[in-house]
Amino acid sequence: MTAVLDLRALSVDLPLGGFLTRARLPILCDVSLSVGRGESVALVGESGSGKTTLARAVMGLTPISGGSVFFEGQRVDGDLARLRRNAAMMFQDATASLSPRLTVGYLVTEPFRIHGLPLPDPAATARDLLARVGLPPAIARRYPHELSGGQARRVGVARALALDPRLVVADEPTAGLDVSVQAEVLNLMHDLRAGMGLAYLVITHNLALVRHVADRVVVLYLGRVVEEGPTARIFAAPAHPYTASLIAAEPKPDPRRRRADLAIRGEVPSVLRRPAGCEFHTRCPLVRDLCRSTPPDLVPVGDGRQARCHFADQRQDKQGERHAVDHR
């Protein structure tokens, strides 16, 4: 599959602040991932894992400290015009991402003006874009504060689609929406992907959303990839204890299906004081002595997956045995 987006050992360090220190916060560490044409990749992890920082770094909104960003095979350096012409971002707070001083009609057609593209009939273009996301033409005359959460989200989608991008970076696309509206937005994203061949990089902590929209999953912990692979295989048999704990934490109506033995303990460590060895060992329910002293590498574990765990292969063997027993 041809990669639309290819990140290679991407790192982001942010200044800690203050006049007397040059210390920097290592937010992302050597993150590599790719998104193919028409593919949907989900980036998951707890709050503070670096998901939004990665999205902003991809779009050039946060400077990178190391590594490279490639878009359609070409390295993205200082000139971001081509990337932003062919890639768009849906921000987490849909209403806040829309200027309160501009009408919806102006907002959804603004990308044409920003990139100096011809716009013979702005009103007709606005109507077409709004219709594409299921909104009536009258919405074009409203201001952002007059929209519901679901309407603001759809306006954000229309604005993102204005220039027919090849990639959409969606940061928490269903955040703050009612369940019924979430379903509408997800169905809309699915239909647009099928109709336009869009590639998605979806940033979320909602694993139910991941199951619905993602072909592959990339799991971040403290700004580092700890597991990556096809969605169905990762949910069926996670190779990293952190991934298993995230999946086990999903709300389940049947208490007998809850896995208390996989519960994540404690708080996320500070990026200023990263734990030695495996960075997850301070919270891992399966920690061993090796984990406390030696950092694991991201290695293949079969079925097109990778995991950063010393004992990933053993976990896979045990899960395979359990799966065989369950199906006897």
Side-chain angles (χ1 to χ4, degrees):
M1 182 180 295
T2 304
V4 175
L5 177 68
D6 188 12
L7 307 184
R8 303 179 186 177
L10 184 73
S11 297
V12 172
D13 298 336
L14 299 180
L16 189 57
F19 294 103
L20 301 178
T21 179
R22 294 184 179 180
R24 299 180 68 85
L25 291 172
I27 306 298
L28 297 174
C29 303
D30 297 327
V31 175
S32 296
L33 63 85
S34 63
V35 183
R37 294 187 185 278
E39 185 181 30
S40 180
V41 175
L43 191 66
V44 304
E46 295 170 286
S47 297
S49 60
K51 303 186 301 296
T52 295
T53 300
L54 187 144
R56 295 178 62 86
V58 166
M59 298 302 296
L61 301 176
T62 295
I64 65 174
S65 307
S68 305
V69 178
F70 287 81
F71 183 76
E72 295 185 324
Q74 296 185 19
R75 181 169 178 167
V76 178
D77 293 314
D79 184 8
L80 296 169
R82 178 176 174 271
L83 171 67
R84 292 177 177 170
R85 167 67 179 80
N86 296 288
M89 185 166 179
M90 294 166 51
F91 293 90
Q92 181 171 345
D93 190 333
T95 302
S97 70
L98 304 174
S99 172
R101 298 180 179 85
L102 302 175
T103 64
V104 167
Y106 190 95
L107 287 167
V108 297
T109 56
E110 191 175 27
F112 290 91
R113 301 179 178 91
I114 291 172
H115 290 275
L117 300 175
L119 188 62
D121 191 342
T125 302
R127 287 195 300 270
D128 291 343
L129 288 170
L130 293 174
R132 186 183 293 184
V133 297
L135 290 174
I139 292 286
R141 297 191 294 272
R142 296 186 186 179
Y143 288 85
H145 71 274
E146 299 177 293
L147 304 176
S148 68
Q151 288 173 333
R153 182 67 64 185
R154 287 175 180 263
V155 169
V157 175
R159 179 182 169 91
L161 298 179
L163 303 183
D164 292 326
R166 267 94 79 180
L167 171 71
V168 172
V169 179
D171 188 5
E172 298 286 2
T174 60
L177 301 179
D178 293 337
V179 174
S180 60
V181 181
Q182 289 184 22
E184 292 177 1
V185 172
L186 293 179
N187 290 333
L188 172 64
M189 292 176 63
H190 179 272
D191 293 342
L192 292 171
R193 176 187 170 194
M196 301 175 60
L198 285 174
Y200 285 118
L201 178 61
V202 181
I203 289 83
T204 185
H205 64 273
N206 185 342
L207 296 185
L209 172 99
V210 173
R211 293 177 188 267
H212 186 80
V213 304
D215 300 311
R216 289 190 298 116
V217 178
V218 178
V219 185
L220 279 187
Y221 183 75
L222 284 182
R224 205 183 298 275
V225 176
V226 296
E227 186 164 359
E228 183 271 332
T231 301
R233 293 172 184 170
I234 283 183
F235 275 89
H240 196 283
Y242 179 61
T243 309
S245 297
L246 290 179
I247 295 172
E250 281 190 283
K252 294 180 177 65
D254 185 352
R256 293 170 297 181
R257 297 183 60 196
R258 297 172 187 163
R259 294 288 304 277
D261 59 313
L262 294 177
I264 303 178
R265 302 174 300 194
E267 299 293 329
V268 179
S270 168
V271 293
L272 285 175
R273 293 183 293 275
R274 291 175 176 269
C278 174
E279 294 176 337
F280 185 59
H281 86 259
T282 58
R283 307 172 71 201
C284 182
L286 307 174
V287 62
R288 303 183 191 178
D289 289 340
L290 177 64
C291 307
R292 298 184 176 95
S293 60
T294 306
D297 295 323
L298 187 66
V299 296
V301 292
D303 295 332
R305 288 180 295 165
Q306 300 181 87
R308 194 182 299 275
C309 178
H310 292 298
F311 307 102
D313 290 337
Q314 297 178 26
R315 286 178 52 80
Q316 293 301 291
D317 292 341
K318 289 181 180 179
Q319 288 173 345
E321 293 172 3
R322 188 182 304 118
H323 181 80
V325 170
D326 292 341
H327 287 78
R328 283 178 183 172

